[in-house]
Amino acid sequence: MKASKKPATSKLVTRFDNDLMNLLMEDLRAFRERNQFSSSNKQGAVQQQLSAA
């Protein structure tokens, strides 16, 4: 009985990890799409500061 529970638990944990990683990656993609404009502005500002120095 114990031998059959360990693989099931391991499979459940693996599935949870995979689902969580997929959700986080989707959120990251959505975040990047929403903040793409502000991110490019920050990079431009940093480049201007470096060239001015």
Side-chain angles (χ1 to χ4, degrees), residues 4-5 10 15 19 26 33 36 39 41-42 45 47 52:
S4 65
K5 286 187 179 179
S10 178
R15 181 176 175 194
D19 289 346
E26 288 175 15
E33 287 176 5
Q36 191 174 27
S39 176
N41 284 345
K42 288 179 184 176
Q47 287 175 352

Side-chain angles (χ1 to χ4, degrees), residues 19-35:
D19 289 346
L20 180 61
M21 180 61 80
N22 289 335
L23 285 171
L24 290 172
M25 293 303 289
E26 288 175 15
D27 287 347
L28 179 61
R29 280 188 217 110
F31 179 79
R32 284 181 177 170
E33 287 176 5
R34 281 186 305 215
N35 295 314

